[in-house]
Amino acid sequence: MSESDNVSVSVIAAGACCRVRRRMQCFGFHEAECDGCGSENDEGRNVGELLLPQYALATGGLARDHRPLITFPDNNNFHTLSASEYRRLLLYLTSVPSLLEAEMGFHIIIDRRKDRWNSVKAALLRISEFFPGIIHAVYVLRPASFLQKALSEVSSKLFKEEFRFRVLVCSSIEELYEHFDRSQLTPDLGGELQYSHSEWIQQRIALEKFSTLMKEISTKLDDFMHEIVDCDMGNDPTQTKELLDCQESRYKALKSELSSATTQGEELLTQVRKPNLTYNIISHVAAVERLLVQLEETERQFDNFWQKHSTKLNHWLKFRTFLLNFKQMQASLDGHLKTACDMTEVGETASRVESLILEANDFEKLCNFDLDTASSVIDDGEKLMKDPLSSVDHIESKCEELRRTTALLIDKIQKRNMLLTKARELMDRIDKANDWCATGVELLAGEGGLAAVDKLLEDAKSFGLTAPDDFREMLMQSATQETRALVTQVSQRVEDVWLMVSVKRATLQRAAARPARPVQPVPPQAAHHNAHEQMETSGGSESSGGEDAEARRSRRGHVLAELLQTERVYVQELGSILSGYKEEIEKPENQHVLPSALVGQADVLFGNLHELFTFHQDVFLKDLERSISATELVALCFVEKRETFFRLYSYYCQNIPRSERLRETLVDTHLFLQACQQRLGHKLPLAAYLLKPVQRITKYQLLLKDLLRYSECGSMSSGLQQALDCMLVVLKCVNDSMHQIAITGVPVDLSQQGELLLQSSFMVVSENKRDLRLRIRPRRRHIFLYEKAMLFCKSATKNSHNKATYHFKHDLQMSQIGLTESVKGDPRKFEVWRQGRAEVHTITAPTVDVKRAWVERIKRVLLDQLKELKGERVRQYGAQHHRTLIQASSWELGPAEARAGPPAARAASCDAHDEPCWSTDPSDDDDDEPEHAPAVGCALVALSEYTAVGGSEVSLREGQHAELLKVGCAGWWYVRLAGGIGEGWAPAAYLDQRKTSRSSSRSHDRLHDH
């Protein structure tokens, strides 16, 4: 129910009674005085007492212009009225005509024929001081005596202009007839209007009482409507139903009062119209009729208001009932759904399966009742949605949720029944297969003939056994996790018996073909052995034709299967890291048990691992699954995703130093990380799993090389070559990232230096006018060229271990350098210098081509800076969630150059300098700094497989033994593999120290004994 409906009813009722309230207050039915009549403490009589002396009359007469008439009769008592009594009387008399008539204005007749002229003047002055309405004209019947008449003729000319209204002085009543019809004047004015003052008062009293009754009913209606509009309809259907019943009973009571008031008003109208009354005032009849019309309109509006409100309340009741039923059914169905999800057992015996089928049938009957009820609730919701008052989206969402839950439960029940049916069929087949195997064993142990063997093989068809491989596949399709071991066991037994029976049948057939020789029984074991020999012989002869093409196809299929399977395992491992470590670290309830260094550092520890997981799970793995049937499509997957591979893996490798530094402060032995590892069931600590992305990006190019090796010429070979080239470029970029990771002691934030453009090793001669300590002899430096800086580092090789590390020595800001492209004496040389050549670095490249590439790249950087200084538009970079931190130049190299790039080297930042420029190392030579190492000679064992990324590393197999030769930086160990297979760097997280404090020689001997 809108508020406007409530207002309309109130306005109608209030409009009917506002003027009545004013009249009743003045008339004396209420103690309060009307506006302008004075307060309750004013002295004087009320209107009822003032009407009796006939100081002024509202006879109901009208002028010729239809304006109402008020008469001041000549009773010689007007002067006895006090000012407040006069105001009170006039307020009442002017409220008797209708509003329309009152707005037109009043005609006033002052009859003073028997009085003196002074009384006329006093009456006019009082009227001019106060009259609650518009005065159209005042007609004065002047005194009839000669003296007063003469006096009035003189005086009227003097004071007539003093008033704001028109004053007409009449010498006789005949002059009034010019303005009034005789039928509108009372007999004392010579008219024909029959007026009885006592009857008029009685009718006014009855009319005012009826008006008071209407006022009381109006007040009740207002209170009731405001109450029900502002009431709380409640959320409980029971509460809403009680509220509806209560309001409906009050509505009926008010309707009864309205009907009673209507009856009373009709009776009053009949009394006013009685023909036996000597006086019948038309205005009273009109007033009663007007009140009855207003009462009828009020009742109609009230009925409309209640109709809308009750409709709204009934709809709310249905809606809350629907929601209550929905919640009950949703809870019931959720309980059934949970029970259905928990019903996973399929049984390992036929009797158990039958028992589970009976339980499933009982459960289905229980669910069907609630499913029918849920269907009824959905029907109720659909009916509610047709109601214009309904919130369709809200109800539709509830119905849809109920439909979804219902469909899910039905699907679970159907799948459960289907699974148990298959389980029963599987158990029947297994029982028949076991019986068949037992019969076969008895046949093999006895001396059954060829007919018995043929019958046994024919009986196998009754339970689907025509070939052991097909039978195994058929059973595996129906097998579950619980029955897989049983199926495998039965399938193997069937294969053994089938093979032995087939061998015996062949032996019997050969014996039947040679009747001269006696038939000898063949033991099962011998038959089995001979059958294998025959299968191997026949297999060798069949493979002689088309062996190469078929072998390549088979091997290519194995590589594709390995690619898909390892991709799934990789995605699963990434997901386990995120769910088992990262999500646990980010949970608010675990913050108090985290290491202090790890709080808020999850993004540092894991880098963009979540992006890698999302890409491989949602994009790359799905593309592989759709394309695995065609090698060309698989190659296309790598080509199309080249940019994504580079962006994601470059960022991950760039974050590795920060992750390793953070991990060094934590150590994988922390109780929280150990608890996460145990929950996941991982054999390796977190550090080993964080190396999975680096291993995976290396594995791709190996698999693509195998596919290319076994591919056929044509589009397949070209597509694979293109994919391999792309992944080699990506790997080269990752290798560049790993070179950058190996820089130690960098005093600047490399992530703020822009993209890595080039990196290579040079001979450098440096001159500095302000630092005389700087020697001028050539030194080997590994230079990293970024967009904003050039870093000079010393490459430190750990003797024979070949573990590269780059120690920061110096840096140049690209915004401060100049370039000399050619230096006399050697075409491989070029110079970079600070402004004013205060500091000059002469760089000798290994080849002219390398020099040319570096010079062109440096020139391009300087030109870009020049454009930026000139205000020209700079090159726009792609907006990424994780900005690529490294952009290697290998994207511009050809496939051959990319594949010929240097292998990646593993290292980590072991120290840091606070100075912005020259290294504070006093030696400043090319000798290797001594490195502190723990005791060597420990025997190690590999915990899991690890694939080497670069030539300085070694690959590991799970369970492989090794000897520790050197402990490197950031969790890398230099090891020698057992059996002298090789040696190199390996991540310590993949190795377990089984023995401690063993000598190198004894450990080496022990490893060779394996």
Side-chain angles (χ1 to χ4, degrees):
M1 172 59 61
S2 64
E3 189 174 343
S4 61
D5 296 326
N6 183 16
V7 171
S8 63
V9 178
S10 301
V11 166
I12 292 172
C17 299
C18 63
R19 298 174 69 244
V20 170
R21 284 198 296 269
R22 190 177 67 173
R23 293 197 300 268
M24 293 306 298
Q25 288 170 356
C26 296
F27 202 79
F29 288 96
H30 296 285
E31 296 180 359
E33 298 293 341
C34 60
D35 294 339
C37 295
S39 63
E40 294 180 1
N41 297 326
D42 288 344
E43 297 181 356
R45 296 163 288 178
N46 58 35
V47 174
E49 296 172 341
L50 295 174
L51 288 175
L52 291 175
Q54 300 185 30
Y55 297 113
L57 301 176
T59 61
L62 302 175
R64 293 185 185 275
D65 56 5
H66 302 288
R67 289 183 172 88
L69 173 64
I70 294 180
T71 304
F72 290 86
D74 189 10
N75 293 332
N76 196 21
N77 58 358
F78 188 73
H79 63 279
T80 62
L81 274 173
S82 66
S84 61
E85 290 175 341
Y86 165 77
R87 294 168 66 91
R88 191 176 300 124
L89 178 62
L90 263 293
L91 277 170
Y92 180 77
L93 291 177
T94 54
S95 67
V96 171
S98 65
L99 288 175
L100 182 60
E101 293 173 344
E103 289 175 356
M104 294 171 62
F106 292 86
H107 287 276
I108 299 175
I109 296 176
I110 302 176
D111 185 8
R112 290 295 181 265
R113 290 175 294 177
K114 300 178 183 180
D115 209 339
R116 292 177 299 174
W117 179 250
N118 288 336
S119 64
V120 175
K121 185 176 181 181
L124 288 173
L125 289 174
R126 182 168 288 187
I127 290 172
S128 66
E129 291 175 359
F130 174 77
F131 188 86
I134 300 173
I135 301 175
H136 187 70
V138 177
Y139 304 90
V140 178
L141 286 175
R142 59 186 178 182
S145 65
F146 178 80
L147 180 61
Q148 294 298 324
K149 188 174 183 180
L151 184 61
S152 64
E153 289 178 355
V154 176
S155 300
S156 62
K157 296 178 181 180
L158 299 176
F159 73 87
K160 188 184 299 184
E161 302 300 329
E162 297 179 1
F163 305 107
R164 293 173 297 177
F165 44 82
R166 187 160 57 100
V167 178
L168 300 175
V169 179
C170 301
S171 300
S172 63
I173 59 176
E174 283 75 10
E175 295 182 16
L176 291 176
Y177 301 155
E178 297 177 5
H179 306 282
F180 300 94
D181 191 85
R182 288 175 178 271
S183 61
Q184 302 300 317
L185 297 175
T186 55
D188 59 329
L189 295 176
E192 301 172 356
L193 180 63
Q194 299 300 319
Y195 175 75
S196 173
H197 190 59
S198 60
E199 291 179 359
W200 185 87
I201 291 177
Q202 290 178 0
Q203 289 183 5
R204 291 307 302 180
I205 291 174
L207 184 61
E208 302 298 348
K209 287 183 177 179
F210 180 63
S211 298
T212 303
L213 177 62
M214 283 191 62
K215 173 183 175 294
E216 293 174 353
I217 294 177
S218 174
T219 302
K220 291 180 180 179
L221 291 179
D222 288 344
D223 294 342
F224 175 68
M225 287 186 291
H226 282 101
E227 179 182 343
I228 64 177
V229 166
D230 298 335
C231 72
D232 181 12
M233 293 187 291
N235 293 328
D236 183 12
T238 304
Q239 179 184 354
T240 305
K241 184 65 170 64
E242 292 176 354
L243 179 64
L244 179 61
D245 293 341
C246 177
Q247 292 181 356
E248 188 171 6
S249 63
R250 293 183 61 188
Y251 163 74
K252 291 179 179 179
L254 289 173
K255 278 287 290 181
S256 177
E257 292 188 24
L258 284 171
S259 300
S260 176
T262 302
T263 302
Q264 186 175 343
E266 291 174 350
E267 291 177 354
L268 177 60
L269 182 61
T270 303
Q271 293 176 2
V272 172
R273 286 177 174 173
K274 282 183 180 180
N276 58 349
L277 290 176
T278 59
Y279 171 70
N280 189 357
I281 300 179
I282 298 176
S283 62
H284 290 180
V285 174
V288 175
E289 290 177 344
R290 194 163 55 245
L291 289 175
L292 286 174
V293 169
Q294 292 171 350
L295 185 62
E296 182 181 357
E297 181 65 17
T298 299
E299 184 175 7
R300 186 182 66 79
Q301 291 289 349
F302 180 62
D303 289 340
N304 291 338
F305 169 81
W306 172 253
Q307 179 64 30
K308 293 181 180 179
H309 176 74
S310 62
T311 301
K312 178 181 177 181
L313 203 56
N314 277 297
H315 174 267
W316 181 255
L317 177 61
K318 293 178 182 178
F319 176 68
R320 296 311 307 182
T321 303
F322 166 76
L323 290 183
L324 179 62
N325 293 336
F326 164 76
K327 290 180 180 179
Q328 292 174 350
M329 290 313 306
Q330 187 69 15
S332 180
L333 294 179
D334 286 344
H336 293 326
L337 196 58
K338 184 178 183 303
T339 303
C341 292
D342 293 339
M343 297 172 68
T344 57
E345 183 185 359
V346 294
E348 297 182 359
T349 62
S351 59
R352 180 56 183 163
V353 171
E354 289 296 333
S355 175
L356 292 174
I357 290 176
L358 292 176
E359 291 180 7
N361 292 335
D362 294 339
F363 176 70
E364 184 176 5
K365 292 178 183 178
L366 178 64
C367 292
N368 284 337
F369 176 78
D370 286 339
L371 289 173
D372 293 339
T373 306
S375 179
S376 300
V377 174
I378 293 173
D379 293 340
D380 294 340
E382 291 175 347
K383 292 178 182 178
L384 269 178
M385 285 189 288
K386 297 178 182 178
D387 194 319
L389 296 176
S390 298
S391 175
V392 177
D393 294 340
H394 184 62
I395 299 176
E396 176 62 25
S397 65
K398 299 298 183 183
C399 292
E400 187 60 31
E401 186 175 355
L402 211 54
R403 290 191 195 98
R404 182 189 61 80
T405 307
T406 300
L408 193 59
L409 179 59
I410 293 174
D411 182 64
K412 287 287 186 182
I413 294 174
Q414 291 176 350
K415 287 184 177 179
R416 176 65 177 170
N417 292 337
M418 187 181 301
L419 182 64
L420 291 177
T421 301
K422 288 185 177 180
R424 179 162 58 186
E425 294 175 357
L426 177 65
M427 290 303 166
D428 290 341
R429 280 196 175 93
I430 289 177
D431 290 342
K432 291 179 180 179
N434 285 331
D435 294 339
W436 182 83
C437 289
T439 304
V441 171
E442 293 177 0
L443 180 63
L444 292 172
E447 296 183 358
L450 184 59
V453 173
D454 289 340
K455 184 178 183 305
L456 180 66
L457 295 176
E458 185 67 25
D459 293 341
K461 297 179 181 180
S462 62
F463 57 92
L465 176 57
T466 56
D469 292 341
D470 296 340
F471 184 70
R472 175 190 288 270
E473 183 177 356
M474 179 179 62
L475 292 184
M476 282 299 181
Q477 291 177 353
S478 302
T480 62
Q481 193 67 30
E482 299 175 12
T483 59
R484 191 171 299 275
L486 177 61
V487 167
T488 303
Q489 179 183 0
V490 172
S491 299
Q492 186 62 47
R493 185 180 183 189
V494 169
E495 289 178 5
D496 294 341
V497 174
W498 179 276
L499 180 61
M500 289 186 289
V501 170
S502 299
V503 171
K504 182 169 184 177
R505 185 174 183 278
T507 303
L508 292 176
Q509 286 179 339
R510 287 196 300 271
R514 296 192 298 271
R517 298 181 59 184
V519 179
Q520 299 179 357
V522 180
Q525 295 81 358
H528 194 183
H529 178 70
N530 293 335
H532 278 295
E533 290 180 352
Q534 292 178 5
M535 291 173 65
E536 291 174 1
T537 303
S538 61
S541 61
E542 291 174 0
S543 63
S544 60
E547 177 181 5
D548 292 342
E550 186 64 31
R552 284 199 305 272
R553 189 180 301 109
S554 175
R555 290 169 183 171
R556 191 166 63 247
H558 286 307
V559 176
L560 289 173
E562 181 183 359
L563 172 61
L564 182 59
Q565 183 62 29
T566 54
E567 184 68 19
R568 288 171 176 163
V569 172
Y570 177 55
V571 169
Q572 182 180 1
E573 289 176 340
L574 293 184
S576 67
I577 296 172
L578 292 173
S579 62
Y581 285 99
K582 191 171 187 291
E583 291 180 5
E584 293 294 326
I585 290 173
E586 293 176 341
K587 285 182 178 179
E589 59 267 23
N590 291 338
Q591 297 302 306
H592 66 284
V593 298
L594 288 179
S596 58
L598 190 55
V599 176
Q601 298 296 314
D603 290 337
V604 176
L605 183 61
F606 298 97
N608 64 334
L609 193 66
H610 188 274
E611 279 192 87
L612 286 173
F613 171 69
T614 303
F615 165 69
H616 281 276
Q617 181 188 47
D618 299 339
V619 180
F620 191 65
L621 177 58
K622 292 182 178 179
D623 288 349
L624 284 181
E625 290 174 340
R626 288 192 294 266
S627 309
I628 201 66
S629 58
T631 307
E632 295 90 338
L633 297 178
V634 172
L636 188 61
C637 291
F638 287 94
V639 175
E640 291 178 345
K641 303 299 183 296
R642 179 185 68 174
E643 295 290 342
T644 307
F645 272 112
F646 166 69
R647 176 175 59 83
L648 296 179
Y649 281 91
S650 293
Y651 185 91
Y652 186 83
C653 293
Q654 184 69 9
N655 185 68
I656 286 178
R658 300 171 64 201
S659 177
E660 287 183 346
R661 285 195 296 268
L662 177 60
R663 214 165 52 245
E664 286 174 4
T665 63
L666 299 175
V667 186
D668 290 333
T669 56
H670 191 277
L671 294 178
F672 179 80
L673 298 178
Q674 284 184 341
C676 294
Q677 179 181 345
Q678 291 175 0
R679 278 195 299 270
L680 292 171
H682 287 174
K683 294 184 294 183
L684 297 175
L686 175 61
Y689 283 90
L690 291 179
L691 288 176
K692 293 291 183 181
V694 180
Q695 292 180 284
R696 187 60 184 171
I697 197 64
T698 308
K699 185 71 172 178
Y700 285 133
Q701 55 95 12
L702 299 176
L703 293 170
L704 288 172
K705 285 180 181 178
D706 290 341
L707 284 176
L708 185 60
R709 186 182 305 116
Y710 302 134
S711 66
E712 301 172 358
C713 298
S715 60
M716 179 188 300
S717 179
S718 61
L720 286 172
Q721 184 62 55
Q722 186 180 3
L724 179 59
D725 292 342
C726 291
M727 294 313 296
L728 286 174
V729 170
V730 172
L731 185 59
K732 176 63 169 59
C733 296
V734 174
N735 288 341
D736 288 343
S737 301
M738 303 308 293
H739 275 282
Q740 181 179 237
I741 294 167
I743 303 174
T744 62
V746 184
V748 295
D749 186 358
L750 295 181
S751 64
Q752 302 298 322
Q753 305 308 312
E755 299 175 357
L756 176 62
L757 304 176
L758 294 173
Q759 55 90 18
S760 187
S761 183
F762 299 91
M763 295 300 295
V764 180
V765 175
S766 300
E767 300 180 44
N768 193 322
K769 297 178 181 179
R770 290 176 296 180
D771 192 349
L772 301 178
R773 296 179 302 164
L774 184 63
R775 292 191 291 262
I776 306 179
R777 66 181 179 86
R779 291 166 300 176
R780 181 159 299 276
R781 289 289 180 260
H782 201 93
I783 303 177
F784 295 86
L785 177 61
Y786 292 86
E787 287 181 321
K788 297 181 180 180
M790 180 183 292
L791 268 62
F792 293 79
C793 302
K794 181 173 67 176
S795 177
T797 303
K798 303 300 183 181
N799 298 327
S800 62
H801 305 324
N802 197 28
K803 182 63 177 178
T805 305
Y806 303 107
H807 297 301
F808 171 80
K809 291 300 178 183
H810 186 53
D811 69 331
L812 294 175
Q813 293 298 313
M814 298 301 293
S815 60
Q816 301 175 356
I817 71 168
L819 172 66
T820 303
E821 297 186 32
S822 300
V823 179
K824 291 182 180 181
D826 193 339
R828 298 174 301 164
K829 291 183 178 181
F830 63 97
E831 289 181 347
V832 291
W833 36 268
R834 288 188 190 271
Q835 296 174 353
R837 298 185 65 87
E839 179 183 326
V840 181
H841 301 273
T842 303
I843 303 173
T844 304
T847 64
V848 175
D849 291 338
V850 174
K851 171 210 169 179
R852 185 181 300 111
W854 275 73
V855 168
E856 290 299 326
R857 179 61 68 145
I858 294 173
K859 285 168 61 179
R860 191 182 308 171
V861 173
L862 297 179
L863 286 174
D864 288 342
Q865 292 179 354
L866 181 60
K867 290 179 181 180
E868 184 176 356
L869 290 174
K870 290 181 178 180
E872 297 181 8
R873 183 180 177 183
V874 297
R875 180 167 52 91
Q876 300 296 320
Y877 293 92
Q880 310 280 344
H881 176 66
H882 285 290
R883 185 176 180 274
T884 304
L885 299 178
I886 300 170
Q887 177 68 45
S889 62
S890 57
W891 286 117
E892 299 179 357
L893 300 177
E897 289 176 314
R899 290 193 298 273
R906 293 285 185 186
S909 299
C910 299
D911 55 9
H913 299 290
D914 296 329
E915 296 298 329
C917 291
W918 298 100
S919 172
T920 55
D921 184 0
S923 62
D924 198 30
D925 55 20
D926 294 332
D927 296 334
D928 297 322
E929 292 85 350
E931 184 182 43
H932 175 74
V936 299
C938 299
L940 307 173
V941 64
L943 299 177
S944 181
E945 180 183 354
Y946 172 74
T947 303
V949 177
S952 63
E953 301 177 8
V954 292
S955 299
L956 301 175
R957 299 192 312 274
E958 183 176 356
Q960 189 174 18
H961 292 265
E963 177 186 358
L964 176 64
L965 300 181
K966 191 74 173 178
V967 176
C969 186
W972 286 84
W973 291 353
Y974 196 86
V975 299
R976 178 188 296 139
L977 301 180
I981 299 176
E983 62 183 51
W985 291 96
Y990 279 71
L991 298 167
D992 186 16
Q993 185 176 345
R994 297 301 185 186
K995 304 292 183 180
T996 58
S997 301
R998 298 293 187 186
S999 67
S1000 176
S1001 60
R1002 292 175 59 187
S1003 298
H1004 182 70
D1005 295 339
R1006 185 169 59 255
L1007 289 173
H1008 278 282
D1009 292 339
H1010 287 285

